């Protein structure tokens, strides 16, 4: 009798695991064979995750903080963020289980409560990133079609509707591995924009228009929270990194891939930002998005359109990790069960409703760079600093070889929490003063 019970119980566990995999989209929703990403495909997707909207706000943060001070804070912040991702990859590799996502790593060390807390923060952070993209899209349409104040999210309703028409279909992509070709196209569009802005910066530097003022803008210590927040946003790729790792055909190679892409992105961020500050720093007194600091001419508009569409193509990267977690909520799992009639329509309706809510939030936010900063402050302090250190510390507490020193653990924790708190207060003050 006990053998019969054990057999039935194992079958039920296998069925539940299979059901969960559908809603994590490790298996496509249609029930077809899982699509696993190659090393190259995963690298393209991760690059797209780094080089998105964050790099557009980075020059503004360097301008207000002074480029010399900003380099120092940027490198420290980025290094600690990358180190925290390494710590969680180390835990995931030690577990060596299939489909070991971010919430599963939290569950290993802190049980169900840790898993649920991580899930809530992950959903909020990724949806916040999606809002940042929508703020950019609304600002972009306002800039292109009306030359309105493109820093304001409160543009005409028509721009919000235009953004919805583009991003809604993209938010139904279910698997990171299927996103490889779209990532390649998006990377190409963004590369065109970055190259053009770089040459434009060189031209402005050679012309010497305002170059002395820009180069002498070395440090404003009271603005350091802005640099920490924007850096945490731009390099806060922890949720995306684990979503990509899950879909890789060889997850153990992800650490090497992550290092290569991260250090490439670090150099790209730093070079692009410094040239932009030296070449167009004085224009950022009235404009927070470097893309909109270009001259108003047909070629600049084409470049801006290319970059915007590149970002539009990366919108699924921001919402997919959140959708994966939301659709694993028990009540929703039963509501959109693929075996039920009209399940695909129900799932589509839920995702559309979430996107509409995000759009309305983005519509009401006044400043792109400040929203990016406050999101980086909150998400950076919790998801990208606090959680990795606590998880790594607990998991390897009895392993003297892999356990880090208390100075390392508490040093990173202190930097993340204090920096995030300062960035949060700074942004609230700036938003209320405007």
């Amino acid at each position: 009798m006990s053998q019969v019970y054990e057999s039935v119980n194992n079958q039920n566990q296998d069925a539940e695991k299979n059901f969960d995999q559908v809603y994590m989209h490790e298996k496509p929703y249609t029930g077809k064979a899982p699509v696993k990403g190659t090393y190259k495909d995963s690298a393209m997707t991760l690059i797209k995750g780094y080089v998105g909207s964050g790099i557009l706000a980075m020059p503004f943060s360097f301008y207000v903080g002074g480029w010399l001070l900003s380099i120092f804070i940027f490198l420290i912040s980025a290094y600690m963020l990358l180190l925290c991702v390494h710590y969680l990859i180390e835990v995931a590799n030690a577990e060596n289980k299939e489909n070991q996502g971010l919430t599963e790593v939290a569950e290993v060390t802190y049980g169900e409560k840790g898993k649920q807390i991580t899930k809530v923060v992950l959903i909020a952070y990724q949806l916040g990133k999606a809002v940042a993209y929508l703020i950019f899209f609304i600002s972009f349409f306002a800039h292109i079609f009306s030359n309105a104040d493109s820093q304001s999210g409160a543009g005409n309703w028509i721009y919000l509707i235009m953004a919805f028409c583009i991003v809604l279909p993209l938010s139904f992509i279910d698997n990171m591995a299927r996103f490889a070709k779209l990532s390649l196209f998006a990377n190409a569009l963004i590369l065109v924009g970055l190259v053009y802005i770089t040459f434009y910066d060189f031209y402005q530097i050679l012309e010497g228009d305002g170059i002395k003022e820009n180069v002498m803008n070395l440090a404003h210590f009271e603005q350091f929270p802005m640099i920490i927040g924007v850096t945490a946003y731009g390099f806060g790729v922890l949720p995306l990194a684990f979503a990509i790792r899950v879909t890789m055909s060889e997850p153990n190679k992800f650490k090497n891939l992550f290092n290569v892409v991260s250090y490439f992105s670090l150099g790209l961020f730093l070079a692009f930002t410094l040239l932009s500050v030296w070449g167009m720093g004085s224009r950022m007194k009235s404009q927070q998005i470097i893309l909109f600091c270009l001259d108003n001419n047909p070629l600049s508009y084409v470049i801006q359109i290319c970059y915007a569409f590149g970002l539009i193509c990366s919108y699924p990267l921001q919402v997919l990790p959140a959708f994966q977690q939301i659709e694993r909520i028990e009540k929703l799992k039963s509501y959109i069960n693929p075996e039920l009639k009209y399940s695909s329509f129900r799932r589509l309706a839920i995702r559309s409703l979430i996107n509409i809510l995000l759009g309305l939030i983005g519509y009401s936010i006044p400043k792109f760079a400040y929203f990016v900063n406050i999101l980086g402050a909150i998400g950076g302090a919790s998801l990208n600093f606090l959680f990795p250190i606590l998880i790594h510390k607990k998991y390897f507490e009895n392993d003297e070889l892999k356990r880090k020193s208390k100075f390392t653990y508490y040093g990173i924790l202190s930097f993340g929490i204090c920096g995030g708190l300062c960035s949060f207060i700074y942004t609230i003050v700036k938003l209320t003063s405007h």
Side-chain angles (χ1 to χ4, degrees):
M1 189 69 179
S2 61
Q3 291 180 341
V4 173
Y5 172 79
E6 184 177 354
S7 176
V8 172
N9 186 52
N10 289 338
Q11 289 176 3
N12 289 337
Q13 289 179 350
D14 290 341
E16 183 178 353
K17 180 180 178 181
N18 182 70
F19 186 75
D20 282 347
Q21 284 177 331
V22 169
Y23 290 97
M24 280 298 288
H25 309 299
E26 290 141 14
K27 289 183 178 179
Y29 187 77
T30 56
K32 297 177 183 178
V35 178
K36 291 294 185 179
T38 64
Y39 189 96
K40 179 181 177 182
D41 292 341
S42 300
M44 287 294 102
T45 304
L46 186 56
I47 289 173
K48 183 70 228 63
Y50 269 121
V51 187
S53 59
I55 199 170
L56 297 179
M58 191 66 70
F60 177 75
S61 71
F62 270 50
Y63 171 73
V64 298
W67 64 266
L68 189 60
L69 174 65
S70 298
I71 289 176
F72 179 71
I73 297 177
F74 170 76
L75 290 176
I76 292 178
S77 302
Y79 174 74
M80 289 190 178
L81 285 164
L82 300 182
L83 197 62
C84 286
V85 177
H86 282 178
Y87 286 167
L88 280 193
I89 292 175
E90 193 172 15
V91 174
N93 287 343
E95 281 291 292
N96 196 27
K97 292 180 181 178
E98 187 179 0
N99 303 323
Q100 189 80 7
L102 183 57
T103 54
E104 284 71 27
V105 171
E107 185 180 24
V108 167
T109 49
Y110 288 96
E112 183 64 23
K113 183 180 289 186
K115 178 181 179 180
Q116 295 304 323
I117 292 174
T118 304
K119 182 185 294 186
V120 170
V121 176
L122 171 62
I123 291 173
Y125 182 62
Q126 288 303 128
L127 291 182
K129 279 202 159 189
V131 171
Y133 273 65
L134 287 168
I135 294 173
F136 171 81
F137 299 150
I138 294 169
S139 301
F140 164 73
F141 289 129
H143 177 79
I144 291 295
F145 293 109
S146 68
N147 265 334
D149 179 10
S150 55
Q151 296 181 55
S152 175
N156 195 290
W157 277 94
I158 188 65
Y159 304 130
L160 178 61
I161 295 172
M162 291 170 67
F164 277 147
C165 291
I166 296 172
V167 302
L168 279 178
L170 291 174
S171 58
F172 300 112
I173 294 177
D174 287 330
N175 191 298
M176 287 292 181
R178 295 184 184 277
F179 192 67
K181 291 183 180 179
L182 192 58
S183 287
L184 185 60
F185 175 68
N187 287 340
L189 291 176
I190 288 177
L191 180 62
V192 170
L194 294 179
V195 169
Y196 180 83
I197 295 174
T198 300
F199 276 103
Y200 188 85
D201 289 334
F202 274 119
Y203 175 77
Q204 293 297 316
I205 291 172
L206 292 176
E207 284 287 303
D209 185 21
I211 181 65
K212 184 176 181 180
E213 176 188 350
N214 296 336
V215 172
M216 293 305 296
N217 180 26
L218 299 178
H220 303 286
F221 288 94
E222 72 279 7
Q223 304 288 350
F224 82 91
M226 184 73 180
I227 309 163
I228 296 176
V230 175
T231 303
Y233 174 86
F235 275 77
V237 296
L238 180 60
L240 174 62
F242 266 76
I244 293 172
R245 183 183 180 277
V246 163
T247 61
M248 284 186 67
S249 55
E250 298 178 277
N252 287 333
K253 291 185 177 181
F254 179 74
K255 184 176 181 179
N256 175 262
L257 179 149
F258 179 78
N259 287 337
V260 172
V261 172
S262 296
Y263 289 120
F264 167 78
S265 300
L266 184 69
L268 179 64
F269 263 69
L270 195 56
F272 175 82
T273 299
L274 286 176
L275 286 173
S276 296
V277 170
W278 294 336
M280 293 190 285
S282 56
R283 301 188 185 191
M284 296 177 206
K285 293 177 181 178
S286 59
Q287 181 55 262
Q288 296 181 358
I289 302 176
I290 189 64
L291 188 66
F292 301 155
C293 291
L294 299 173
D295 291 334
N296 293 325
N297 58 57
L299 181 57
S300 293
Y301 287 142
V302 170
I303 296 300
Q304 289 165 352
I305 290 171
C306 285
Y307 201 105
F309 274 92
L311 286 186
I312 287 170
C313 291
S314 67
Y315 184 76
L317 290 177
Q318 312 309 324
V319 295
L320 181 56
F323 284 153
Q324 288 175 344
Q325 298 300 331
I326 291 172
E327 290 172 1
R328 295 189 75 189
I329 298 173
E330 289 299 327
K331 290 185 178 180
L332 282 182
K333 283 171 70 171
S334 59
Y335 181 73
I336 59 177
N337 189 325
E339 296 179 0
L340 297 176
K341 193 175 183 180
Y342 304 123
S343 60
S344 296
F345 176 78
R346 293 179 181 184
R347 184 162 160 272
L348 184 149
I350 290 172
R351 289 195 174 190
S352 298
L353 178 62
I354 293 173
N355 276 298
I356 290 172
L357 292 175
L358 296 179
L360 293 176
I361 295 172
Y363 180 85
S364 63
I365 300 294
K367 300 289 183 180
F368 173 76
Y370 289 135
F371 180 78
V372 164
N373 187 55
I374 199 169
L375 183 62
I378 298 172
S382 56
L383 202 60
N384 295 298
F385 281 111
L386 182 63
F387 289 2
I389 295 301
L390 293 179
I391 290 172
H392 190 276
K393 182 176 182 295
K394 186 173 180 62
Y395 188 87
F396 292 113
E397 61 183 348
N398 297 320
D399 189 332
E400 295 184 0
L401 293 177
K402 293 188 177 181
R403 187 180 67 236
K404 310 302 177 185
S405 67
K406 289 185 178 180
F407 176 80
T408 301
Y409 283 138
Y410 292 118
I412 296 176
L413 275 177
S414 300
F415 181 86
I417 294 173
C418 294
L421 184 61
C422 290
S423 297
F424 179 80
I425 295 172
Y426 168 90
T427 309
I428 294 299
V429 171
K430 286 292 183 179
L431 288 175
T432 53
S433 65
H434 283 77

